[in-house]
């Protein structure tokens, strides 16, 4: 066993045989990082992970001091971008910007790559639940909610015409107030915090390739392209022991890392209502419309976001079908005070759509890489829990990879162990948000399915009971109670409450009954069995996806 001093003086190189049948090829380790050693034509060539930017090449009989390689680009790098960092983050959205700020403040040397630093313009990611506000406090980023005209949100108003029910966030849990805002303004504040954090280098560029070790497949860096002022496109290689992919719901790297497919059954169509009179200010509004739900929430002093869920294929925007759909099918189902603003804004606003996607979470198993945010896990945005999950993922990642826990990120074994812990650390909150979003959407978009319709009515009736039938479900929805078992318990409580309503002929109090509950008992008994079966069909497959890693 031979030992050679490492150029930085802190480690040694230990040569271990990789394959006895091929003596000219070896795996060596710098600390715990695997590297390749080749013996060819009387020479030894050592390839270490590129984030060290070192290349050993020496004759068998002589061991000269290794030399530091020059940057691989022949062009001068703009903004003095280095070639080596501790962490590379791809994507400067909610998760990427907040993670860069958190790791930079912890002393990590971070490169944040974002394709476009101008203010993003999206129709979702505009309501932050109280659990997300708490995560911001944990990260020291709560001031990012200031100066963006954010509106306090104290709960929900659910409309099932002609009835409604108010669902306040539980008063015994703090924080018990969310915020709604323009998505782009919040992102820009997070980016500002990231740029102001020590050790964070922002760069505008498009990440194109994950650089990997050809033997171990460990990710060791990123190739990204930038444009100079004269329009020239430059390709740059940067290296780090850890790369975070947080490039959002349309991630270009997802398929290289995980094999789960994104599913989409509906789209949100949204626009802004000007000077809208909401029945319950400072509350999110959910209308249980046909065929699926409608959301309204204030995102500015005089602006209200409306999101209309449309299952299946979208009506055409170009020929006016979508606008006619809004006028003919949607407007009459809205609260009366909203309709004038809806009609006026529909004439002038641009209708935009966003797919409502579902992607179960996956354990990060590839060395040198973390996949986070919408790139790794998505759920229907009906409950507005996506940003809360993302921000708590940042909290957990920062804590697990803190310098006091992992002094050197090139310690591959320790980092992989921490990433496995991350999957289960995030599970209580993420599973509650994922299951609740998918289950509620299934109930609220019952359409003409009679058994699903029974569950929808039972859910609304359950909320009308008040007390814990409101405070606990809304605490789960708000990201305040990360308790999956409590969620499952309340979901089946709704189902059995539906059985009670069916058997007593109360499932729809607005429907006139000609026969007594006793006469209809055989038929209602069958409906009750089907209601429980439907509840299992709705929730059990989603639970199964959460239990898989």
């Amino acid at each position: 066993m031979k030992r050679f001093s490492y150029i930085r003086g802190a480690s040694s190189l230990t040569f271990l045989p990789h394959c006895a049948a091929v003596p000219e090829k070896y795996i060596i380790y710098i600390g715990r990082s695997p590297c390749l050693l080749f013996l060819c034509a009387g020479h030894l060539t050592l390839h270490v992970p590129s984030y060290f930017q070192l290349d050993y090449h020496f004759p068998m009989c002589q061991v000269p001091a290794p030399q530091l390689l020059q940057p691989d680009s022949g062009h001068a790098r703009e903004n003095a971008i280095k070639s080596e960092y501790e962490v590379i983050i791809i994507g400067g959205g909610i998760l990427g910007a907040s993670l860069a700020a958190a790791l930079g403040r912890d002393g990590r040397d971070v490169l944040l790559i974002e394709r476009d630093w101008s203010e993003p313009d999206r129709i979702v990611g505009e309501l932050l639940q109280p659990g997300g506000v708490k995560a911001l406090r944990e990260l020291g980023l709560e001031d990012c909610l200031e100066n963006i005209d954010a509106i306090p949100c104290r709960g929900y108003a659910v409309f099932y015409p002609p009835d409604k029910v108010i669902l306040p966030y539980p008063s015994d849990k703090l924080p018990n107030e969310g915020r709604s805002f323009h998505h782009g303004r919040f992102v820009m504040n997070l980016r500002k915090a990231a740029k102001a954090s020590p050790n964070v280098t922002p760069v505008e560029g498009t990440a194109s390739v994950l650089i990997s070790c050809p033997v171990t497949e460990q990710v060791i860096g990123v190739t990204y392209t930038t444009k100079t002022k004269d329009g020239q496109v430059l390709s740059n290689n940067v290296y780090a022991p850890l790369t975070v992919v947080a490039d959002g719901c349309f991630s270009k790297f997802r398929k290289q890392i995980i094999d789960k497919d994104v599913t989409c059954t509906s789209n949100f169509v949204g626009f802004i209502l000007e000077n809208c009179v909401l029945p319950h200010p400072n509350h999110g509004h959910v209308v249980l419309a046909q065929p699926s739900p409608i959301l309204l929430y204030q995102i500015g002093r005089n602006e209200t976001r409306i999101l209309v869920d449309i299952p299946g294929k979208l009506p055409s925007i170009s020929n006016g079908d979508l606008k006619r759909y809004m006028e003919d099918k949607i407007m009459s189902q809205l609260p009366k005070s909203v309709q004038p603003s809806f009609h006026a804004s529909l004439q002038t606003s641009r209708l935009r759509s966003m797919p409502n996607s579902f992607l179960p979470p996956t354990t990060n198993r590839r060395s040198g890489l973390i996949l986070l945010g919408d790139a790794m896990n998505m759920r229907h945005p009906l409950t507005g829990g996506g940003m809360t999950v993302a921000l708590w993922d940042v909290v957990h990642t920062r804590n697990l990879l803190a310098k006091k826990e992992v002094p050197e990120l090139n310690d591959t074994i320790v980092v992989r162990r921490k990433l496995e812990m991350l999957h289960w650390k995030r599970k209580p909150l993420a599973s509650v948000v994922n299951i609740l979003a998918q289950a509620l959407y299934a109930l609220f978009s019952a359409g003409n399915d009679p058994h699903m319709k029974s569950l929808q009515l039972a859910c609304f009736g359950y909320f009308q009971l008040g007390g814990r039938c409101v405070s606990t479900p809304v605490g789960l929805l708000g990201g305040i109670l990360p308790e999956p078992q409590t969620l499952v318990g309340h979901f089946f409580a709704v189902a059995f409450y539906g059985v009670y309503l069916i058997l007593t002929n109360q499932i729809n109090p607005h429907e006139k009954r000609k026969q007594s509950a006793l006469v209809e008992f055989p038929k209602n008994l069958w409906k009750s069995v089907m209601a429980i079966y439907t509840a299992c069909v709705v929730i059990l497959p989603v639970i199964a996806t959460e239990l898989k890693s």
Side-chain angles (χ1 to χ4, degrees):
M1 188 172 291
K2 302 179 182 179
R3 289 184 178 274
F4 298 90
S5 295
Y6 174 41
I7 187 171
R8 296 182 180 177
S11 306
S12 61
L13 307 183
T14 304
F15 290 63
L16 301 175
H18 174 61
C19 178
V22 188
E24 70 275 18
K25 184 178 180 182
Y26 297 89
I27 288 286
I28 66 105
Y29 289 83
I30 297 179
R32 294 182 178 178
S33 297
C35 312
L36 270 179
L37 180 74
F38 294 99
L39 170 61
C40 182
H43 286 73
L44 283 175
T45 302
L46 172 63
H47 295 279
V48 301
S50 300
Y51 49 79
F52 289 114
Q53 282 290 281
L54 298 173
D55 188 15
Y56 291 73
H57 188 84
F58 44 85
M60 283 287 291
C61 59
Q62 191 176 1
V63 186
Q67 301 296 315
L68 188 65
L69 290 183
Q70 298 300 314
D72 51 13
S73 173
H75 305 277
R77 293 174 184 265
E78 294 186 347
N79 301 324
I81 302 299
K82 302 183 297 183
S83 60
E84 300 177 26
Y85 294 85
E86 284 187 276
V87 182
I88 299 170
I89 299 175
I90 302 173
I94 299 289
L95 190 141
S98 55
L99 182 61
L103 296 180
R105 293 176 182 184
D106 191 44
R108 298 294 189 190
D109 191 11
V110 180
L111 177 67
L112 178 59
I113 304 174
E114 166 57 36
R115 180 181 57 84
D116 183 1
W117 286 96
S118 60
E119 183 175 317
D121 184 16
R122 296 182 64 189
I123 63 170
V124 294
E126 298 170 314
L127 196 154
L128 184 65
Q129 300 286 4
V133 175
K134 185 177 180 181
L136 282 177
R137 289 180 184 174
E138 291 278 334
L139 295 168
L141 296 172
E142 191 180 9
D143 59 348
C144 291
L145 292 171
E146 304 303 322
N147 303 315
I148 58 173
D149 198 17
I151 305 298
C153 183
R154 303 188 179 99
Y156 283 84
V158 181
F159 294 78
Y160 191 89
D163 296 328
K164 67 180 178 182
V165 62
I166 306 302
L167 310 177
Y169 292 125
S171 58
D172 60 334
K173 301 289 183 181
L174 294 176
N176 62 352
E177 184 177 276
R179 293 291 189 90
S180 52
F181 40 69
H182 283 268
H183 173 84
R185 296 175 189 174
F186 181 51
V187 170
M188 294 304 284
N189 270 2
L190 289 174
R191 289 175 176 177
K192 182 178 177 180
K195 292 177 180 180
S197 299
N199 312 305
V200 175
T201 303
V203 61
E204 183 168 275
T206 302
S208 53
V209 177
L210 297 175
I211 305 172
S212 304
C213 170
V215 174
T216 66
E217 295 187 351
Q218 176 174 334
V219 174
I220 58 176
V222 174
T223 298
Y224 72 94
T225 58
T226 58
K227 282 188 177 181
T228 61
K229 293 179 180 180
D230 59 0
Q232 186 180 8
V233 178
L234 302 180
S235 180
N236 307 271
N237 286 354
V238 285
Y239 304 94
L242 185 63
T243 298
V244 179
V245 174
D247 55 347
C249 56
F250 302 112
S251 172
K252 68 184 295 182
F253 298 108
R254 181 190 296 127
K255 287 186 177 294
Q256 302 175 32
I257 303 164
I258 60 176
D259 55 6
K260 293 181 179 178
D261 293 326
V262 177
T263 58
C264 176
T265 57
S266 70
N267 289 269
F268 262 149
V269 173
F271 58 97
I272 292 177
L273 308 182
E274 300 288 346
N275 302 311
C276 177
V277 180
L278 289 175
H280 300 278
N282 300 114
H283 286 72
H285 291 59
V286 182
V287 181
L288 302 185
Q290 287 289 342
S292 52
I294 303 167
L295 296 183
L296 298 109
Y297 48 87
Q298 203 172 346
I299 59 174
R301 211 168 288 115
N302 301 308
E303 297 172 307
T304 297
R305 171 68 69 193
I306 183 168
L307 294 171
V308 179
D309 184 87
I310 300 181
K313 185 179 179 181
L314 275 177
S316 172
I317 297 177
S318 58
N319 66 8
D321 284 351
L322 182 57
K323 183 179 176 181
R324 283 189 289 273
Y325 177 89
M326 294 289 184
E327 291 175 329
D328 299 340
K329 298 286 183 67
I330 300 301
M331 187 166 66
S332 61
Q333 301 187 69
L334 296 172
K336 294 292 184 183
S337 64
V338 174
Q339 292 182 18
S341 175
F342 179 88
H343 182 266
S345 299
L346 189 60
Q347 312 309 314
T348 57
S349 296
R350 177 169 64 103
L351 299 182
R352 301 166 59 197
S353 66
M354 184 77 179
N356 297 324
S357 303
F358 175 62
L359 176 66
T362 303
T363 304
N364 285 283
R365 290 195 172 93
R366 190 165 177 185
S367 296
L369 181 74
I370 313 179
L371 188 66
L372 286 176
D374 285 350
M376 184 269 289
N377 182 203
M378 289 184 283
R379 76 292 302 158
H380 196 285
L382 172 68
T383 58
M387 288 191 293
T388 297
V389 172
L391 290 170
W392 276 107
D393 284 353
V394 172
V395 173
H396 297 319
T397 303
R398 180 202 62 178
N399 293 345
L400 289 169
L401 297 180
K403 274 210 164 184
K404 62 181 180 181
E405 297 288 332
V406 188
E408 297 294 335
L409 292 178
N410 58 6
D411 193 337
T412 307
I413 295 176
V414 172
V415 171
R416 285 194 63 172
R417 190 182 304 130
K418 293 291 184 181
L419 296 187
E420 291 174 2
M421 292 171 63
L422 173 63
H423 179 78
W424 299 107
K425 191 79 174 174
R426 71 186 296 275
K427 183 64 69 176
L429 173 66
S431 61
V432 163
V433 174
N434 293 341
I435 295 170
L436 189 59
Q438 298 305 115
L440 276 183
Y441 177 70
L443 264 59
F444 289 178
S445 59
N448 295 319
D449 185 329
H451 308 302
M452 198 71 80
K453 195 72 175 178
S454 295
L455 287 177
Q456 184 188 83
L457 289 162
C459 183
F460 187 79
Y462 190 77
F463 290 152
Q464 289 179 312
L465 295 175
R468 291 194 61 190
C469 296
V470 168
S471 62
T472 302
V474 178
L476 293 164
L477 185 148
I480 308 170
L481 296 175
E483 301 170 3
Q485 68 279 7
T486 301
L487 168 61
V488 175
H490 275 268
F491 184 83
F492 280 102
V494 167
F496 283 105
Y497 182 67
V499 169
Y500 164 75
L501 294 177
I502 291 171
L503 293 178
T504 57
N505 259 10
Q506 301 179 63
I507 191 62
N508 190 348
H510 303 293
E511 182 179 312
K512 293 182 179 180
R513 297 288 183 181
K514 296 181 180 179
Q515 295 177 312
S516 68
L518 185 61
V519 173
E520 293 191 343
F521 180 78
K523 181 174 68 174
N524 288 342
L525 183 61
W526 170 248
K527 289 181 179 179
S528 300
V529 171
M530 290 305 298
I532 297 298
Y533 171 77
T534 303
C536 293
V537 169
V538 167
I539 199 169
L540 294 183
V542 189
I543 292 175
T545 64
E546 291 297 318
L547 294 176
K548 296 177 182 178
S549 58

